[in-house]
Amino acid sequence: MIHFVLLISRQGKVRLTKWYSPYSQKERTKVIRELSGLILARGPKLCNFVEWRGYKVVYRRYASLYFCMCIDADDNELEILEIIHHFVEILDRYFGSVCELDLIFNFHKAYYILDEILIAGELQESSKKTVARLIAAQDSLVEAAKEQASSVSNMIAQVTK
Amino acid sequence: MAAASASSSSPSLIDTLFQRSLDDLIRVLRSSSSAALEAAAIARALDEIRREIRSPDLDTKVVALQKLTYLASLHHFDMSWAAFHALELLPSTSLPQPRAAYLAASLSFHPSSTDLLPLATHQLRKHLAPSPSNSPAVAAPALHLLALASSPDLARHLAPDLLPILSNQSSNPLRPKAVATALRVLAVCPDTAPVLFKPLVECLSLSSDPRAVSAAIGAFCELALAAPDPSPYLPLAPEFYRLLVDSRNNWVTIKVLKIFARLAPLEPRVAARIVDPVCQLLRRFTAKSLVFECIRTVFSSLLDHDAAVRLAVDKIKEFLASDDDPNLRYLGLQALNMLGPAHSWAVEDSREVVIQSLNDTDTNIRREALRLIMGMLCDSNVVDICNMLIKYAIKSDPEFANEILDEVLATCGRNVYELIVDFDWYVSLLGEMVRNPHFAKGDEIERQLVDVGLRVRDARPELIRVARNLLIDPALLGNPFLCKVLSAAAWVSGEYVEFSRNPLELVEALLQPRTNLLPPFVRAVYVQAVFKILAYSFISFIEQIQAGESLAIGNSLNQRGGKQEGSDLVAAKSSSDQNNAFEIGDGVATADKAILFDSIEKQETFKHESISCLLNLIETVVGPLSECGEVEVQERARNVLGLILIIRGTQFWNIEEGHELTRDNKITKMVELMESAFSEELGPVSTNAQKRVSVPEGLILNENLSELLDILGDDDINPCASVSFSLRNHHSTETNQDSATAIEPNSLLAEHRKRHGLYYLPMDKDKSESNDYPCANEPLLPVSHGEDTEDIVKLPAQSLIPEKAKPTKPRPVVIRLDEGDGVSSSNLSTAKESKDDMLSGAIRDVLLRNEKKPSSTHKTSSDRTSQRRENDGSENSELISQQKESNSFGDREHGKSSSRKSRHHHKERIESSGQNRDNEEKSHRHSAKSSHHHRRHKHRQRGDAPLDIVPQSPVIQDFLL
């Protein structure tokens, strides 16, 4: 299974973290520090796998962002690379040629998308279309709820409460 | 604090209206240029958040929570204190609020440290309940939270609530999510297996939504991989097989292959069935991930099937040959690594690529290649491969060079040197490793040098030769990484001096001027080695004389003068020869010559002059050490000086022709004493040795030691002077010898210079430069890097393949202690495993019960599968009837208890979906249920013992066509 997902920028800034195995906050900080040191130091044209504490970390660089996933030693590395690519393609489709800034300012959206793809460290949805549809449906629901909340009658109800 | 909370409990409307949004926060953080500014901005934001999050207005609260989530997940701030606020927002009816709360909770809740977790139970159940008011937009994050943060209690309480979603046949997008969640719930709380397992199995069926199938396969893959014993999943093999053949989804196929890799070793028929499909996948598919998974499956579980292995090895060759994709090369090496020595032909086929990978730009690939090569080692190829690697290590970068040394040391030393036949070779290899320019493995080499000495008697002559070569080289002394090795070499030279060809040379090496660069603890070993060698030389000298006494001695006297000169010449020549040999780096070729010279030398070693020369040398160098600040060194130096004193003190020493006085009692006694001091051989000590010593009767180990104080006090006053090592005596001799020592150093230095002239700088050099020896570890032959790999590829012409050539000499005896020696005892029983055992036990229980008591749904599914099988054209009606027979047989045998169990259980489930209103009643039910769980669990354990073993094998047979 996937133990965690990290998005790290080339400067070592963390852009997204998702933990599927229980790590305490302290361990998380330590893991991120260790791995960003390990991965950012690797040059281009090397293999995309790093052994780390008995696990394997599969990473791939897209522009200035490193997408890293930590897996068990007997998991399939190439499959994870495909999952990473899958995730990136979905992000790309959703944001329209995604860039780092999109992820910075829509950080919860990125989480919702990731949650549609992976649950509990397992790949959930292998169809890009379906994910796009699900996310769009959620967005419209949320928008509708927001509109309702900001409607005039609602505001009046709140003030007079 | 009180004021703060008072103000924060009622944030003004202004606060609410002018609250900074998440975007504002992100902008502020991005615009802060320095780290200090950023930290200040974050601190300010945290203050705001603490105030805003207490607001009664939910919108304000949500925004605060979002900001906090952002800071926690990307800037690693602890947000466990806000757990309650996240829980507060869960029941909100406005969609964005619970979603933000779920996001915060799933990112920050920790199953063991979040103690508010039980508070979420009710809300989670509400969101999971299949009612039209619940949109999947909240049910999905609820499932997500349950998967990530479920404690055993939470898992147990909410497992029944997963059922409606799990068994929903329509293509509900929540179903695959529920499957993944169920997997985590099962992992956390194995007790839930009876509830959750059957719906999971049903997800595999043909009619299910393909996404549910994919999720279920993922779940079973995790379960089978994590279980210490995957046999409970064997009955599901037909379902998996169907997916393996039919599935068009690579991701599913990969998972199925993983499951089969676990199942195949358990049941040879499974292996036989899947070989063909796997080979077809290998041939047909181009997706590398799938091909790689097939290869892994073959290498891990189908090694008996030659055709498959050959096919997989061919694919590996393709992987290894892909120059543009380092991933494939890495994985290819890794896969080859799984094969082990039994299939070394596969590695041999790609030998060149493997060895060239040692030179790859990627350290991971290099490491993998190294691991692979080490994995191929066996006693017939160890010599070639290790020689090759050590030569290679000289040219590689420092980190990797030490990795190579590490691997070689670890592999050769494994299990008390089980791979090594030729210890002479191994010992000289150890010596060679030390010459590596990047050498940093002093500790391990030190241990092995001493260990081989203790364990392998036959290796000692070579060991002392290696030790001598190390000790004699002054350039090694300045290297801090080597002092451990030198310490071992010094110990060896003292302990096994009887195998030395020239003890005097050893003493000179041990006392050379640059030894003052060594740390004191090594210096102490050096001095002690000198002590041993001196004792040995003196004893040999006396024995030589005693032996010679019976012969005619007179004639040798006349010739001595001339011969001495000659031998000096020879000695000088031989040592310079050896030095040259060093420089060239082929010590072997000149070793024979050296033996010849040394044997000539040795006859002349223990003459009166040489001994006295030795004494003078030792006295000169060790003398100052007796004032050394380090007690270890000082004490040992005094011992040595004391011994010299005794030797000098004997009457015999003052008389020219010693043989007359060897009958002197004092000398014989002394010789006996020294012999007895060092003659006893040291052996390896078992780690458990101390335990085996029985406590003698009457010895009370716990007794207070205060009585010893008196004795100790006495000791202080009267230093034991029996061997006259006393301070006063020593001083007097030193003054006596003053005149001698004044002359000695120069002559000795001159001699040393003559002998090891190579290592001395020209006379006119400044003293301050004396440390600038030529770099000790210069590669011996300058080799251009371009031809490295070609050289290396040529080197082991047949090295990787195990040759069956007879070793030229039999393996020497290696002393090996029975227990606790070299073999690390592995304690495999861990808490996790026991948990897994529980899980697989529970699952086995569920599956077997399914077999025996098909419920209506199961009946249809099994009917369907049997129909499918008939459609497949396999002639298995007989087997099916057998299966039915065994089912009914199982029914008869276990029907009663299990039916009671499951019926009861069924009722529970109905209850759980039925009554969702009353909280109190529910909690009551929970407690009742959990206690019931315990009872049932116990009951099952009791009843299962025979059930596990007896009916299982027939059940498996039925499925495996």
Side-chain angles (χ1 to χ4, degrees):
Chain A
M1 67 174 274
I2 298 167
H3 293 281
F4 52 80
V5 177
L6 296 181
L7 264 63
I8 307 173
S9 77
R10 209 175 41 180
Q11 291 81 27
K13 294 247 187 222
V14 184
R15 295 302 179 205
L16 186 144
T17 60
K18 183 83 192 181
W19 309 84
Y20 295 105
S21 298
Y23 287 85
S24 72
Q25 189 69 41
K26 219 178 190 177
E27 287 166 334
R28 291 177 182 187
T29 316
K30 197 166 159 237
V31 165
I32 290 173
R33 206 176 38 234
E34 259 179 52
L35 278 180
S36 52
L38 207 61
I39 289 170
L40 298 182
R42 285 174 67 80
K45 300 205 173 175
L46 302 183
C47 70
N48 296 87
F49 319 123
V50 181
E51 282 174 38
W52 171 79
R53 294 204 207 161
Y55 297 110
K56 282 186 217 147
V57 177
V58 179
Y59 71 92
R60 191 163 199 169
R61 187 177 157 181
Y62 289 88
S64 59
L65 262 189
Y66 285 84
F67 288 67
C68 320
M69 293 190 183
C70 172
I71 52 171
D72 288 319
D74 48 7
D75 277 331
N76 190 324
E77 295 91 338
L78 295 172
E79 183 196 4
I80 302 297
L81 275 181
E82 283 166 17
I83 292 181
I84 291 178
H85 192 67
H86 184 61
F87 179 40
V88 174
E89 277 183 336
I90 290 174
L91 286 177
D92 203 50
R93 191 176 285 209
Y94 182 80
F95 289 108
S97 78
V98 66
C99 69
E100 209 180 323
L101 271 182
D102 289 328
L103 296 183
I104 293 172
F105 281 103
N106 296 290
F107 112 115
H108 47 284
K109 286 264 172 56
Y111 275 110
Y112 291 141
I113 293 174
L114 183 61
D115 287 353
E116 289 301 327
I117 300 170
L118 296 175
I119 276 205
E122 299 292 324
L123 178 74
Q124 278 303 304
E125 188 48 76
S126 51
S127 147
K128 282 166 229 150
K129 252 188 221 151
T130 317
V131 174
R133 208 185 59 227
L134 287 172
I135 296 286
Q138 284 176 16
D139 278 355
S140 62
L141 274 173
V142 171
E143 283 307 316
K146 267 187 187 161
E147 265 171 37
Q148 199 204 343
S150 60
S151 69
V152 180
S153 59
N154 199 301
M155 280 172 132
I156 293 168
Q158 266 203 342
V159 171
T160 52
K161 185 168 59 178
Chain B
M1 186 63 206
S5 67
S7 73
S8 67
S9 63
S10 57
S12 62
L13 191 63
I14 304 296
D15 269 356
T16 316
L17 283 180
F18 295 97
Q19 184 187 24
R20 286 197 295 173
S21 69
L22 177 59
D23 276 3
D24 296 337
L25 172 66
I26 296 171
R27 282 205 188 88
V28 168
L29 289 183
R30 282 180 60 75
S31 63
S32 49
S33 48
S34 71
L37 276 177
E38 194 185 85
I42 289 176
R44 207 151 45 90
L46 277 176
D47 279 348
E48 279 173 16
I49 289 168
R50 275 177 208 279
R51 202 171 57 240
E52 289 162 6
I53 209 165
R54 293 202 174 83
S55 152
D57 177 35
L58 290 186
D59 287 325
T60 317
K61 203 189 257 295
V62 155
V63 172
L65 190 66
Q66 271 181 335
K67 289 193 282 187
L68 185 60
T69 312
Y70 180 84
L71 290 179
S73 78
L74 300 190
H75 295 267
H76 320 306
F77 283 96
D78 181 40
M79 63 174 286
S80 55
W81 56 270
F84 182 71
H85 300 293
L87 289 175
E88 268 182 318
L89 283 168
L90 286 185
S92 160
T93 47
S94 161
L95 195 55
Q97 289 170 1
R99 274 170 69 81
Y102 271 123
L103 179 62
S106 68
L107 287 177
S108 68
F109 281 16
H110 193 276
S112 58
S113 63
T114 305
D115 39 9
L116 294 177
L117 211 49
L119 295 182
T121 316
H122 174 60
Q123 200 51 51
L124 281 173
R125 174 170 293 132
K126 236 173 158 178
H127 282 157
L128 291 178
S131 77
S133 64
N134 270 342
S135 88
V138 287
L143 284 171
H144 204 83
L145 178 63
L146 183 58
L148 288 186
S150 58
S151 62
D153 277 342
L154 196 66
R156 190 178 298 120
H157 291 158
L158 289 176
D161 297 288
L162 289 174
L163 282 178
I165 310 176
L166 270 183
S167 36
N168 187 339
Q169 286 296 328
S170 67
S171 68
N172 184 348
L174 288 180
R175 197 175 176 203
K177 294 194 167 94
V179 170
T181 309
L183 162 70
R184 299 310 293 268
V185 168
L186 273 175
V188 172
C189 174
D191 289 356
T192 55
V195 187
L196 293 176
F197 201 73
K198 211 170 67 120
L200 275 183
V201 174
E202 276 160 16
C203 285
L204 287 177
S205 68
L206 272 177
S207 62
S208 295
D209 177 24
R211 281 153 51 218
V213 174
S214 149
I217 276 293
F220 279 109
C221 177
E222 278 308 311
L223 287 172
L225 289 184
D229 167 26
S231 58
Y233 304 96
L234 260 182
L236 294 172
E239 299 291 327
F240 297 144
Y241 182 77
R242 180 176 56 77
L243 283 169
L244 178 67
V245 179
D246 294 346
S247 170
R248 287 285 158 269
N249 183 339
N250 284 357
W251 273 317
V252 170
T253 315
I254 287 174
K255 298 277 182 207
V256 175
L257 283 170
K258 276 190 188 304
I259 297 175
F260 274 121
R262 254 347 266 286
L263 294 183
L266 298 176
E267 177 58 63
R269 278 168 303 172
V270 169
R273 286 285 289 187
I274 62 166
V275 167
D276 275 346
V278 169
C279 287
Q280 283 204 349
L281 289 175
L282 266 177
R283 279 194 208 97
R284 275 210 328 251
F285 277 79
T286 48
K288 294 294 183 206
S289 55
L290 182 57
V291 170
F292 181 61
E293 198 56 50
C294 289
I295 293 172
R296 271 230 284 234
T297 309
V298 170
F299 283 180
S300 65
S301 323
L302 302 174
L303 281 175
D304 300 338
H305 301 265
D306 267 340
V309 175
R310 293 208 172 266
L311 190 59
V313 169
D314 284 345
K315 285 285 172 188
I316 287 284
K317 275 188 210 157
E318 282 173 29
F319 273 33
L320 289 176
S322 53
D323 286 331
D324 53 337
D325 194 344
N327 289 343
L328 293 186
R329 275 181 282 144
Y330 174 81
L331 293 176
L333 291 172
Q334 207 175 46
L336 277 184
N337 225 339
M338 297 170 71
L339 278 173
H343 291 262
S344 54
W345 57 269
V347 185
E348 181 58 28
D349 279 0
S350 346
R351 183 170 52 88
E352 286 194 17
V353 188
V354 171
I355 291 172
Q356 243 146 18
S357 301
L358 281 178
N359 213 28
D360 203 279
T361 44
D362 190 340
T363 46
N364 288 354
I365 292 180
R366 277 185 294 189
R367 204 172 296 147
E368 210 53 48
L370 176 63
R371 237 183 257 170
L372 175 59
I373 293 174
M374 295 321 280
M376 290 297 138
L377 275 193
C378 65
D379 50 7
S380 52
N381 62 11
V382 63
V383 175
D384 292 323
I385 293 184
C386 288
N387 281 340
M388 183 262 293
L389 284 177
I390 297 301
K391 285 213 176 68
Y392 180 73
I394 293 173
K395 296 165 211 148
S396 58
D397 63 296
E399 194 192 348
F400 191 56
N402 277 307
E403 251 167 61
I404 293 179
L405 296 184
D406 229 8
E407 284 282 344
V408 170
L409 285 171
T411 316
C412 292
R414 190 177 59 207
N415 217 349
V416 200
Y417 314 101
E418 65 178 356
L419 284 177
I420 310 293
V421 175
D422 183 356
F423 274 90
D424 286 356
W425 161 78
Y426 185 57
V427 168
S428 57
L429 185 79
L430 289 178
E432 220 175 297
M433 287 184 196
V434 177
R435 303 276 165 174
N436 189 294
H438 315 298
F439 178 83
K441 294 286 160 203
D443 289 348
E444 181 61 13
I445 299 242
E446 177 197 27
R447 191 190 71 75
Q448 292 204 0
L449 277 177
V450 174
D451 201 43
V452 169
L454 294 176
R455 288 178 196 271
V456 192
R457 194 182 295 262
D458 293 355
R460 286 173 192 168
E462 180 64 15
L463 196 59
I464 201 142
R465 198 188 68 82
V466 169
R468 169 205 169 273
N469 288 348
L470 292 176
L471 292 174
I472 213 161
D473 189 345
L476 300 181
L477 287 163
N479 186 337
F481 292 114
L482 291 181
C483 62
K484 284 288 190 85
V485 179
L486 291 176
S487 142
W491 183 86
V492 163
S493 73
E495 187 63 26
Y496 305 119
V497 61
E498 69 263 29
F499 298 106
S500 163
R501 293 189 209 97
N502 190 348
L504 301 190
E505 188 189 47
L506 277 179
V507 173
E508 278 170 12
L510 288 170
L511 295 178
Q512 60 183 302
R514 272 173 67 95
T515 51
N516 59 9
L517 295 173
L518 292 170
F521 69 95
V522 180
R523 202 87 209 268
V525 179
Y526 266 61
V527 175
Q528 186 69 4
V530 169
F531 186 66
K532 286 179 183 169
I533 298 174
L534 173 62
Y536 169 76
S537 308
F538 187 63
I539 294 166
S540 323
F541 175 54
I542 300 291
E543 277 169 355
Q544 205 175 311
I545 290 175
Q546 281 169 340
E549 243 166 31
S550 54
L551 305 168
I553 313 136
N555 47 359
S556 74
L557 289 178
N558 306 337
Q559 295 170 358
R560 182 182 294 153
K563 230 181 182 175
Q564 183 76 34
E565 232 172 289
S567 80
D568 267 356
L569 249 171
V570 169
K573 195 173 165 219
S574 78
S575 62
S576 70
D577 264 1
Q578 277 165 23
N579 294 335
N580 287 342
F582 253 156
E583 286 302 291
I584 300 159
D586 56 352
V588 192
T590 44
D592 292 347
K593 238 194 282 177
I595 290 171
L596 210 131
F597 285 125
D598 276 356
S599 61
I600 297 168
E601 216 176 345
K602 186 154 184 170
Q603 286 173 1
E604 302 296 324
T605 298
F606 301 115
K607 286 300 168 198
H608 190 276
E609 287 83 3
S610 53
I611 292 282
S612 81
C613 190
L614 182 69
L615 289 182
N616 289 338
L617 169 69
I618 295 174
E619 216 163 27
T620 322
V621 184
V622 177
L625 290 181
S626 66
E627 309 291 332
C628 174
E630 285 292 325
V631 278
E632 279 289 298
V633 180
Q634 187 194 40
E635 194 179 12
R636 292 177 188 200
R638 295 246 155 126
N639 285 349
V640 175
L641 294 174
L643 179 64
I644 293 178
L645 205 64
I646 299 172
I647 295 174
R648 288 246 157 96
T650 53
Q651 212 180 350
F652 137 82
W653 199 252
N654 303 322
I655 291 170
E656 227 2 71
E657 301 309 327
H659 65 279
E660 291 164 22
L661 284 158
T662 47
R663 283 173 221 104
D664 184 354
N665 259 353
K666 201 174 169 193
I667 290 180
T668 357
K669 243 193 219 157
M670 206 171 71
V671 168
E672 273 168 17
L673 182 76
M674 288 194 295
E675 254 186 334
S676 64
F678 294 119
S679 62
E680 191 159 322
E681 196 175 297
L682 298 172
V685 181
S686 159
T687 42
N688 300 328
Q690 184 68 45
K691 278 186 221 150
R692 279 184 297 197
V693 178
S694 55
V695 180
E697 259 180 68
L699 176 66
I700 304 150
L701 287 172
N702 299 330
E703 202 178 19
N704 198 332
L705 295 176
S706 61
E707 286 171 36
L708 281 178
L709 269 181
D710 307 342
I711 306 167
L712 285 175
D714 280 350
D715 211 42
D716 277 346
I717 301 156
N718 304 325
C720 175
S722 60
V723 210
S724 75
F725 281 178
S726 82
L727 212 68
R728 194 164 37 80
N729 245 340
H730 165 70
H731 272 303
S732 66
T733 43
E734 207 166 58
T735 43
N736 283 350
Q737 296 295 321
D738 259 352
S739 55
T741 44
I743 311 157
E744 286 302 333
N746 288 335
S747 62
L748 267 172
L749 252 174
E751 199 189 324
H752 194 259
R753 215 171 255 281
K754 202 168 90 190
R755 234 162 222 239
H756 312 294
L758 204 77
Y759 300 113
Y760 280 87
L761 296 169
M763 291 294 242
D764 49 344
K765 276 279 166 99
D766 209 327
K767 259 277 199 272
S768 64
E769 282 177 33
S770 65
N771 269 356
D772 296 341
Y773 274 91
C775 173
N777 293 331
E778 209 69 61
L780 300 178
L781 284 172
V783 189
S784 69
H785 268 247
E787 51 199 34
D788 278 1
T789 40
E790 286 130 57
D791 274 1
I792 276 163
V793 174
K794 275 180 231 146
L795 240 162
Q798 71 292 57
S799 68
L800 288 181
I801 201 119
E803 312 157 29
K804 287 297 163 221
K806 269 252 176 216
T808 45
K809 46 182 167 180
R811 187 170 192 258
V813 184
V814 181
I815 301 171
R816 222 187 133 140
L817 303 162
D818 310 338
E819 8 113 29
D821 198 13
V823 197
S824 62
S825 56
S826 53
N827 262 339
L828 287 174
S829 61
T830 56
K832 184 179 181 291
E833 200 150 301
S834 68
K835 200 172 188 177
D836 283 341
D837 265 335
M838 253 167 80
L839 179 56
S840 48
I843 284 164
R844 174 178 301 160
D845 193 38
V846 173
L847 272 178
L848 289 181
R849 186 147 25 93
N850 280 353
E851 291 319 309
K852 267 162 258 133
K853 246 186 57 46
S855 63
S856 59
T857 54
H858 187 81
K859 186 142 199 163
T860 56
S861 82
S862 80
D863 279 349
R864 195 171 50 237
T865 50
S866 59
Q867 221 161 29
R868 180 181 51 76
R869 275 183 208 131
E870 273 163 10
N871 288 349
D872 281 354
S874 45
E875 57 285 53
N876 55 359
S877 55
E878 199 182 296
L879 286 167
I880 287 170
S881 66
Q882 238 180 46
Q883 175 187 4
K884 279 178 184 157
E885 243 174 53
S886 88
N887 285 349
S888 57
F889 166 75
D891 252 347
R892 252 176 280 135
E893 208 175 32
H894 304 283
K896 271 191 179 168
S897 67
S898 56
S899 74
R900 182 161 19 90
K901 274 190 281 179
S902 75
R903 207 181 305 132
H904 194 117
H905 199 73
H906 198 59
K907 211 168 86 197
E908 247 173 45
R909 222 160 54 216
I910 292 164
E911 266 174 19
S912 72
S913 56
Q915 45 170 242
N916 252 347
R917 272 143 249 127
D918 195 337
N919 264 340
E920 265 180 39
E921 200 179 321
K922 201 180 299 162
S923 67
H924 175 72
R925 181 168 59 82
H926 278 315
S927 61
K929 193 170 67 181
S930 63
S931 71
H932 180 73
H933 266 291
H934 282 292
R935 240 183 299 133
R936 194 178 58 224
H937 191 65
K938 255 184 228 158
H939 178 83
R940 186 171 67 231
Q941 276 176 339
R942 230 184 300 128
D944 269 359
L947 185 142
D948 274 354
I949 307 149
V950 186
Q952 183 155 18
S953 45
V955 168
I956 294 164
Q957 267 175 2
D958 296 334
F959 272 116
L960 300 169
L961 309 184

